Amino acid sequence: MMKIKLNNGLEMPQLGLGVWQSGNGEEVINAIHWALDAGYRHVDTAKIYKNEEAVGKALATANVPREEIWLTTKIWNDDIRAGRTTAALDESLQRLGVTYVDLILLHWPVDGYQQAWKELEAALKAGKVKAIGLSNFMDEHLQDILEVATVKPAVNQIEYHPYLVQAEAISACDEHNIAITAWSPLMQGKFLEEPLFATIAEKYNKTAAQVVLRWCLQNDIIVIPKSTNKGRIEENGDLFDFELSEEDMVAIDELERGHHFGPDPHDFDF
Ligand code: NAD
């Protein structure tokens, strides 16, 4: 498993399982167990995914110890706005049935994020989390956080894939050694409609999904592809026995078109 060294010294597994829209029962429990069997050591959930209970159950019944699994969750927007980040984190820990999470993120840059950041810093001190970070924070939001921060964000989780590389947000993060996690790295499944990936995949005897995810890894991006299908989970985890050539990396780079599959952090209403 490749790891990314964070600006707080911790090493975060570069591949994780995303569990948005994966249910709050057997479906997500099986997915997590299959992922662990396939070598994943990282699970990405959030309060708003409404499956922290099942994610916790999956970890508790896994044959991999809790401390070997990187667990990320997120503070939802309503809690940030209401100034109840600390309470929301405590509730997440309770639903997950864990004493700490490895990473807690502010899910979106909504009103109150500077105060929420101070609460995350306190949670870090209290040992409830090992690392604190952001999600969907663009350059200007990040600057607001840095103004009040005594601890820099370790990670920023943003939409990232060949159609959207968010160069400005990434270069702001690079300046502070903030690692990037890609959400929707598989373009929410739409990668299948882009013929270039299949063409490149053939050369390496890999699949189109593996090519897209490998391109992310070679750009030093953490990926959290979502699937609840055993075969696909295994396929998405089988990324470490090949390397894309510079030429193929550049060909994929050229697909960039500023296309969001999800909401744009500059213009969202939830
Ligand atoms: P994704 O890009 O991971 O795509 C998932 C979809 O791709 C699946 O539903 C499936 O239809 C398809 N797929 C997966 N593997 C495949 C394969 N090998 N072959 C063919 N099709 C395949 O999309 P996502 O779920 O939006 O993003 C991944 C994770 O990122 C989420 O589960 C969640 O954890 C996180 N996320 C975070 C935010 C945020 O605001 N921070 C937003 C969206 C998602």
Side-chain angles (χ1 to χ4, degrees):
M1 173 61 61
M2 287 159 74
K3 291 186 171 180
I4 291 278
K5 190 154 187 173
L6 304 180
N7 60 12
N8 61 7
L10 291 181
E11 294 198 326
M12 179 168 174
Q14 212 180 342
L15 167 72
L17 182 72
V19 298
W20 180 38
Q21 298 176 317
S22 300
N24 189 24
E26 210 165 311
E27 189 184 14
V28 75
I29 293 173
N30 285 335
I32 291 172
H33 288 173
W34 290 327
L36 292 171
D37 288 345
Y40 294 56
R41 289 293 180 271
H42 166 185
V43 178
D44 182 272
T45 187
K47 175 185 178 180
I48 197 69
Y49 304 168
K50 296 188 168 33
N51 59 13
E52 289 176 315
E53 293 90 350
V55 168
K57 215 171 185 185
L59 298 194
T61 55
N63 50 23
V64 176
R66 159 74 186 99
E67 58 277 10
E68 287 177 25
I69 304 167
W70 184 282
L71 176 60
T72 300
T73 193
K74 312 184 190 89
I75 304 290
W76 186 239
N77 300 355
D78 297 343
D79 294 313
I80 298 172
R81 289 192 187 99
R84 62 184 308 282
T85 290
T86 305
L89 170 59
D90 290 344
E91 289 158 8
S92 279
L93 293 174
Q94 199 159 25
R95 281 190 294 271
L96 288 159
V98 296
T99 55
Y100 71 93
V101 290
D102 296 271
L103 177 63
I104 183 86
L105 306 176
L106 299 181
H107 209 142
W108 288 84
V110 295
D111 286 350
Y113 58 71
Q114 284 183 323
Q115 167 63 26
W117 186 255
K118 299 312 284 180
E119 293 189 45
L120 292 193
E121 288 183 343
L124 184 65
K125 238 184 185 166
K128 296 178 192 177
V129 298
K130 304 255 185 216
I132 59 180
L134 306 169
S135 176
N136 300 302
F137 276 59
M138 300 292 103
D139 188 11
E140 67 276 22
H141 311 124
L142 175 62
Q143 300 313 322
D144 289 342
I145 293 289
L146 293 171
E147 248 175 47
V148 298
T150 50
V151 179
K152 279 188 188 182
V155 173
N156 191 10
Q157 182 179 126
I158 58 177
E159 183 177 349
Y160 177 96
H161 44 70
Y163 285 0
L164 182 73
V165 301
Q166 312 235 48
E168 214 176 296
I170 290 186
S171 98
C173 287
D174 281 350
E175 256 182 63
H176 301 278
N177 204 8
I178 298 168
I180 301 292
T181 299
W183 63 254
S184 298
L186 290 174
M187 307 155 74
Q188 301 186 352
K190 304 291 190 310
F191 72 95
L192 287 167
E193 294 166 21
E194 174 53 66
L196 178 67
F197 303 133
T199 308
I200 292 178
E202 223 184 329
K203 287 201 264 180
Y204 297 88
N205 204 16
K206 300 298 272 189
T207 66
Q210 290 166 337
V211 165
V212 179
L213 294 170
R214 182 73 207 184
W215 171 83
C216 293
L217 295 183
Q218 286 180 220
N219 283 326
D220 296 326
I221 303 288
I222 298 156
V223 291
I224 47 170
K226 179 258 172 176
S227 179
T228 53
N229 172 287
K230 186 168 189 272
R232 285 178 172 178
I233 289 169
E234 289 168 356
E235 175 185 340
N236 297 344
D238 184 14
L239 307 174
F240 304 104
D241 62 350
F242 76 115
E243 192 170 349
L244 296 172
S245 69
E246 188 54 34
E247 190 192 354
D248 290 329
M249 289 293 290
V250 169
I252 298 172
D253 290 343
E254 285 170 358
L255 294 173
E256 216 287 332
R257 58 199 64 179
H259 181 82
H260 292 261
F261 289 99
D264 181 341
H266 287 118
D267 182 23
F268 64 99
D269 61 358
F270 47 84

